[in-house]
Every structure is written in C-alpha cells, then in structure tokens.
Amino acid sequence: MKKIIWGMLGSGDVTEMKNGPGLYLNDNCELKGIWNRTYEKAISWSERHNGCTVYKSVDELLSDNDIDIVYIATTPDVHKELALKCIRAKKHVYIEKPISMRYEDAELILEEAKKYGVKPFVAHYRRALPQFLKAKELIDSKYIGDLVSVRIMSTCTKSSLHGWRGQSQVAGGGHFFEADIHALDALDMMVGAYEDAQVLAASYPENNGLERAVAVLFKWKNGVIGSGMWCFDSDKGRDEIEIFGTKGSIKVSSGNLLAPMVLTFGKETKEIPFEMPKYIGMPHEKLVADVLLSGKDDPDICTLENAMRTFKLAQMMKDAL
C-alpha cells in the first residue's frame, strides 16, 4: 500500500497522544523523522515512539526527498517562518493551530502554497471525530428540522492558562485564540461558512495581550444566526455548543470530548455516547493522507482556506482588545 511520508517539526505535548502517533500508526502514513530545537528532546521522542530519524536541522529534514508533508507542531510564534520554509522546499504542510500570530500570516502562507503547488492543512482534528461527524449528518438530513440558531458557552479558570499558552508573544493570544478556535472550526464544518460576525473582547487587567472574556454574534451564509460567550477567569469550566432547529436541538462539547451528544425534542432528551480514538488526531491525519494519495479534495477536511474563516474571527478578537 502506498503511504504518505511525514516529517515533524517540534516534539511537545501535542505530539505525544494527540497528533504524533497517527503519523506512523495510520495505515496510509509513515513518519520518516523529526526535528526539535532541543536535539535531545527529539531523540527521546523518537525512542518513545517509532524510532524515526532525528534531524539536526530543519534544512536537513527538508532536504530529505522521501518526505511528502511536514507537520508543524512548534509554538505559534514560528509557524509562519517554518510553514514558508517547508512550502518553498515543495513540501505539503500540516500546521498546528492557531495557524500563526496574525491573519495576514495565513494569507501569505496560502499565497506561497498556491505559488509552489503544495497543499496546506491545519490540525483542527475535531472535523474527523465521531460526535461532530454525527452532528453534521443529523443537521444535513434535517433530523432537527431547519437550522435556526446556535449558542456557545465556554468558561474556564484563570489557572488553566499556563506555560507558553499564557504568553501572548508566543501563543499569539490566550484561550480563545489558541484553544477555543477548535469549537469555531467545528461549527464551520457542521453549520457552514460564516458570513459575518461582531466581536467584543476584554483583557486581563494585568495583561492587555490576553483575552479574559469574549462575546461574538454570528451570521452564517445559510441564514443561521448565533451567539457565543467565553470567560477565561471563571470559578469552573463549562463547555457547550447547542444547535437549534425547528424540530429539536443538538448539544455537543468541544472541550470535553468524552461528553455525550444530547438531542432534545420538546420535553424528550436523549444522550448519545461516543467512543473516542486513543489518539484523537489520528482520524483527521488519515483523511489528509487520503487527499494527498488520491488527489481528490474532501470538503470536510481542514484545509488552510477552511481554517482561515475561523482564524479571521480570532484576529477580530485580538483587534477588539
């Protein structure tokens, strides 16, 4: 069986159980090698996983003609630099979210990808998880009737913002920019492309570069409207996406992936549990490899162009601070 050969830049937490193992465990994928700015960390990762090659530089990895696509799993502050370098070496790219530090970076990455004839993807893996695929199926089949509106509620404690994710100069922003963007992309897949949005944002008093609370009013191209409220300085965590139709509603969680889907029809409520894959990024990575092997696009996969619709909302939040 023909396989897509991957290279990986970075070997942090996201590569351990989420998006790393699928690169060598999917039957249509092979992980040839990795690079990390700390060479010893890359060696350790390789020893714990598939024993892949450890490159001493990004250039060494990109000079390997066997590699078809590079997963960029570094901190967001270097995503643009590395993505452009990979693209100009004529490698496809799979960029960890957020795409980069600003929307203009994504525009440049897309422009260069078209120029060099490579495909750029983004690691919004919820698009391939069972609860979101089921929700899309129910919506498309009008199981809950015609779509009318969407409600998002997400809160967490301030202490959950730690490490580089609490440094706007590295992460690009806070929870909304770096993590909750997953929920927005899932909605883009389930409900459709956004047409318009109004965004309000408030920063922490001691840090003007990180969002403390965000409110968004949405309008989708299909006429659906919705609202979202995010609070990142709350007493506890909550995470709900509720999609309302003329016959019923669907509730899913973007943050708690083990939470069941809840279907409501009048006074009747039904919970549908889903079994999560051990490595949650693995199904989406398989779809990426399928697209590259077949040469045929998949409308539900997260291409850079799809992801940019959501990333524009994240940029609007930053501009509103």
Side-chain angles (χ1 to χ4, degrees), residues 115-153:
K115 177 180 175 181
Y116 284 88
V118 300
K119 291 183 178 294
F121 305 93
V122 178
H124 283 306
Y125 54 78
R126 280 161 178 75
R127 286 175 173 257
L129 292 180
Q131 63 268 55
F132 301 102
L133 290 171
K134 184 63 176 179
K136 179 173 172 54
E137 175 191 320
L138 295 176
I139 290 167
D140 290 348
S141 68
K142 295 187 179 294
Y143 189 76
I144 60 169
D146 294 327
L147 289 192
V148 179
S149 62
V150 173
R151 179 186 66 87
I152 308 168
M153 171 61 73

Side-chain angles (χ1 to χ4, degrees), residues 65-116:
N65 293 326
D66 290 339
I67 292 175
D68 300 304
I69 182 170
V70 179
Y71 170 37
I72 300 172
T74 59
T75 51
D77 57 326
V78 292
H79 281 184
K80 180 182 80 168
E81 171 194 346
L82 293 175
L84 293 176
K85 199 164 192 176
C86 293
I87 288 167
R88 289 163 183 167
K90 297 191 175 179
K91 308 291 187 187
H92 306 294
V93 288
Y94 189 62
I95 308 170
E96 188 53 60
K97 55 78 193 161
I99 299 166
S100 190
M101 302 291 278
R102 294 194 60 82
Y103 184 77
E104 292 80 3
D105 297 343
E107 290 181 310
L108 177 58
I109 293 168
L110 180 61
E111 179 184 329
E112 288 293 285
K114 290 178 177 179
K115 177 180 175 181
Y116 284 88

Side-chain angles (χ1 to χ4, degrees), residues 23-37:
L23 306 185
Y24 58 86
L25 291 176
N26 275 314
D27 59 9
N28 60 356
C29 295
E30 178 184 332
L31 178 59
K32 177 73 179 291
I34 67 170
W35 166 88
N36 188 286
R37 60 187 174 188

Side-chain angles (χ1 to χ4, degrees), residues 233-252:
D233 197 1
S234 182
D235 60 326
K236 62 181 179 180
R238 305 172 185 84
D239 187 88
E240 294 180 353
I241 300 173
E242 194 160 12
I243 302 167
F244 298 91
T246 53
K247 295 180 181 178
S249 66
I250 299 171
K251 186 186 294 183
V252 292

